[in-house]
Amino acid sequence: MGNSEVERDEPLTPAGRLFLSPEMNQIIHCIIGCKNPIDAAAVTSEISKSVMIQHPRFSSLMVRNSRGREHWRKTQIDVDRHVIVVEDPVAGAADEEAVNDYVADLAVSSPLSLDKPLWEVLFVILLFHSCLTSLYKRRGTHTIHCCRRADEPDQRPTISSVGTSSNSSSNRINQRRKLWKVVVGMLMGLVFIVEFVLRSLWVKDRKTAVSGGAGVELWPRKLATAKFRLDDMKMVKEAVADATINDVLFGVISCGLSRYLDLRSPKALRDGVQITGLSMVNLRKQPGLQELSDMMKGNSGIRWGNKFGMLLLPVYYHQGGADPLQYVKRAKQMIDLKKQSLEAHFSYNIGYLAMSCFGPKVASWLNYRIVCHTTFTISNVIGPKEEIAIVGNPAITMHMLSYAGRADMQILVAKDIVPDPQVLAKCFEDALHQMKEAATQE
C-alpha cells in the first residue's frame, strides 16, 4: 500500500466502530413518496451531480488494515451500483400499509454490501399509482441535497440549524449563573453515571405488554405511522408555560403508551410505572444545507463522523382519566432536568473510554445491555420547511421527519410483541387530540 493511499485512509470514530457490531448494526431508511411515477434515469443523473456523493462517507469504502482496524478509504463512485429499481411491484390493502410492510421487512433482511460505499437508493413501484424512493444510509439528511423546493425549483429546501438562537440577550448570562449551571450539570451527570452503570448491569424496566429484550432486534417487524399536525402540537405547547415541541412529543408518547397499555393489559400495572426511552443525541452543531455545501467545496478543517451521546428518557404509565396536559408538564420537567445535565457528554466519554481501553466488543456489550434494559428508542429529525420535489416530481410524504407543517411518527415494532402497531399509532394520535381539546379550554 503506497503512502498516498495510507494518507487517504481515515480511522472510524468510536461510534462508527460501535455500529459495526452485529447487535448494534444500524441502517437508516429515508422514505420519500412522490405524487407522480419517478423517472429513475433522471434521479440517477441528479444524484451523480449532487454534493451528496462528494461527502466523505458517501464516497468511501469501509476497509480493515492488517491489524484489523477499520478505516474509510476514498473511492470512485459508480452511481449505477447504488441505484436499484425493484422489479416486483409492492401491493397491499393501501399505499401506506404496503410501503410500511415493505420497509419493515427491509429493517431485518437487507444488509449493505461492503464492496461499495454504504448507501443505496431503491425505486419501488406500488401496484396502485405512485412510486417510492427508499434510501439506505448511515448519515444525516444529505438526501435532501438531491431535492429542490416545489415552489422555487432553483432553491434547496430550508432546514433550520439546531442549537442556535437569534436572541443575543439570552446569551448574556452572568458568571455566577454559568458556574451554577456547570455545578448542576456535573451533579446530574454523576447521577447519570450511576444510572448508566446500573442499567448496563442489572437495572431494567418492569415487564409490560410493550417490553422487548435480548435478541428482539432480529425478530420480524411491523411498521405503522402516527400522523400529527405541527399546528396542533404548537397549540398544546402554548397551553403549558415555557414548553417546547419536544415536551409535547414526549407527553404524547407517555399518554399514548398509557392508553395502549390500558387496552392490552387492563389493571395489570400500578399507576406511575416507569417506561424508559433511549435517545441518541448529536453532539455536533448541525449545519444547514447551504453551510454543508460550502464545507464540501473547500478544506473546512472539520472531521467527519459520528459524535453522539445517550439520554435516558423516562415516561410514566398513568391510568385513563388523568388530565392530558399533565403528561406534557411531567415531560417538560423531565426534559428540563436533562437539559441542565451533561448526560449526553458523559455517556459519549464513557463509551469513548470503554472503546479505547477495552475495545469495541466491551463497548458494544455495554450499549446493547442498556438497549435491552429500556423499552423504546426514539429519534427526532428536523425536516424541510417547504414542500420538496425530486427532478420536478412533488414529494407527498417524507417519513421520520417534520415536513411542511406535518410530523409523522414511524413506529417500528417486533410484531410478536406488538402485533397491532396501527392501534398504538391511533393511541398516540388520540393523545394529541385530547391534549388539543384540553388546551382550548385553558
Side-chain angles (χ1 to χ4, degrees):
M1 186 181 295
N3 290 335
S4 60
E5 188 176 10
V6 172
E7 292 174 356
R8 288 199 302 268
D9 289 355
E10 180 184 351
L12 266 68
T13 61
R17 296 183 66 203
L18 176 66
F19 281 129
L20 290 176
S21 64
E23 298 86 359
M24 300 298 294
N25 187 270
Q26 299 285 328
I27 295 178
I28 302 172
H29 296 82
C30 175
I31 309 167
I32 304 175
C34 290
K35 183 177 181 180
N36 304 310
I38 289 177
D39 183 343
V43 175
T44 301
S45 176
E46 184 68 27
I47 292 173
S48 301
K49 297 180 292 185
S50 74
V51 70
M52 183 186 83
I53 64 170
Q54 301 172 33
H55 188 287
R57 296 299 175 264
F58 280 76
S59 57
S60 298
L61 294 170
M62 200 281 289
V63 298
R64 287 181 172 86
N65 63 17
S66 58
R67 293 178 295 176
R69 293 296 297 268
E70 301 85 0
H71 290 73
W72 295 111
R73 178 173 299 166
K74 196 78 171 175
T75 188
Q76 291 294 319
I77 296 289
D78 181 359
V79 175
D80 290 334
R81 291 194 64 207
H82 293 268
V83 178
I84 301 168
V85 178
V86 178
E87 299 294 341
D88 296 329
V90 173
D95 287 17
E96 184 173 292
E97 182 181 339
V99 171
N100 283 345
D101 289 345
Y102 183 79
V103 175
D105 288 340
L106 287 179
V108 291
S109 63
S110 299
L112 291 166
S113 174
L114 295 179
D115 65 351
K116 61 185 179 183
L118 299 175
W119 61 274
E120 289 177 347
V121 175
L122 272 68
F123 296 108
V124 182
I125 309 300
L126 294 180
L127 199 56
F128 309 98
H129 56 77
S130 56
C131 189
L132 162 75
T133 303
S134 175
L135 182 138
Y136 298 7
K137 56 188 175 64
R138 295 181 183 268
R139 300 292 183 273
T141 55
H142 305 304
T143 326
I144 306 300
H145 281 284
C146 301
C147 304
R148 295 295 182 270
R149 289 173 54 168
D151 57 344
E152 296 184 38
D154 294 333
Q155 299 296 318
R156 288 193 178 95
T158 306
I159 295 182
S160 301
S161 296
V162 174
T164 61
S165 174
S166 58
N167 185 358
S168 59
S169 63
S170 65
N171 295 323
R172 302 190 189 105
I173 304 172
N174 60 52
Q175 294 299 317
R176 182 178 298 176
R177 189 174 177 186
K178 283 185 177 180
L179 179 60
W180 175 246
K181 288 184 71 174
V182 171
V183 171
V184 171
M186 294 293 290
L187 291 174
M188 293 292 295
L190 291 173
V191 171
F192 166 73
I193 290 176
V194 174
E195 186 176 8
F196 186 91
V197 172
L198 294 178
R199 284 274 171 181
S200 300
L201 298 176
W202 66 82
V203 173
K204 57 184 177 181
D205 283 355
R206 178 177 174 177
K207 191 76 173 177
T208 69
V210 295
S211 298
V216 72
E217 71 278 1
L218 302 175
W219 293 10
R221 306 293 181 89
K222 293 189 76 171
L223 185 66
T225 306
K227 297 177 178 294
F228 309 112
R229 292 179 66 249
L230 284 179
D231 285 344
D232 292 346
M233 301 184 84
K234 289 175 182 177
M235 183 180 295
V236 175
K237 176 177 75 77
E238 295 300 322
V240 178
D242 300 321
T244 67
I245 292 294
N246 273 343
D247 298 334
V248 177
L249 172 63
F250 274 92
V252 166
I253 290 172
S254 180
C255 184
L257 284 173
S258 294
R259 296 169 75 99
Y260 183 76
L261 290 170
D262 278 341
L263 294 173
R264 287 288 305 275
S265 50
K267 300 181 180 179
L269 296 176
R270 62 176 175 81
D271 203 64
V273 167
Q274 179 174 317
I275 305 168
T276 309
L278 182 66
S279 179
M280 299 297 182
V281 179
N282 180 23
L283 298 180
R284 298 184 187 275
K285 178 183 176 182
Q286 177 184 327
L289 286 177
Q290 187 57 50
E291 289 83 351
L292 179 60
S293 301
D294 293 339
M295 290 162 58
M296 295 297 303
K297 292 177 182 176
N299 183 11
S300 65
I302 295 178
R303 186 171 181 261
W304 298 100
N306 286 312
K307 184 177 181 181
F308 62 83
M310 288 183 178
L311 287 180
L312 294 171
L313 301 170
V315 297
Y316 298 91
Y317 165 78
H318 293 283
Q319 294 178 354
D323 175 8
L325 293 181
Q326 286 297 323
Y327 289 99
V328 181
K329 294 173 183 177
R330 283 188 288 261
K332 172 180 165 48
Q333 184 179 26
M334 179 269 293
I335 291 175
D336 284 348
L337 288 174
K338 297 292 179 179
K339 288 177 181 177
Q340 294 180 54
S341 77
L342 300 174
E343 182 173 323
H345 293 274
F346 271 109
S347 66
Y348 172 79
N349 285 290
I350 290 172
Y352 186 89
L353 181 65
M355 181 72 73
S356 302
C357 297
F358 305 108
K361 288 186 178 180
V362 171
S364 175
W365 179 82
L366 287 172
N367 281 275
Y368 185 64
R369 293 276 292 182
I370 291 173
V371 171
C372 291
H373 289 172
T374 52
T375 300
F376 65 93
T377 59
I378 184 167
S379 64
N380 185 12
V381 181
I382 298 175
K385 295 180 179 178
E386 309 87 6
E387 292 194 4
I388 62 172
I390 307 171
V391 293
N393 192 343
I396 301 172
T397 58
M398 188 163 187
H399 294 292
M400 303 192 73
L401 295 171
S402 60
Y403 169 48
R406 305 189 301 272
D408 288 353
M409 180 191 294
Q410 292 290 80
I411 305 161
L412 185 65
V413 300
K415 64 182 183 181
D416 290 337
I417 296 174
V418 181
D420 50 2
Q422 296 87 353
V423 174
L424 179 57
K426 186 68 165 54
C427 288
F428 290 134
E429 293 171 348
D430 290 345
L432 181 59
H433 287 312
Q434 191 178 15
M435 291 174 185
K436 179 184 174 183
E437 290 176 1
T440 59
Q441 299 171 7
E442 285 288 305

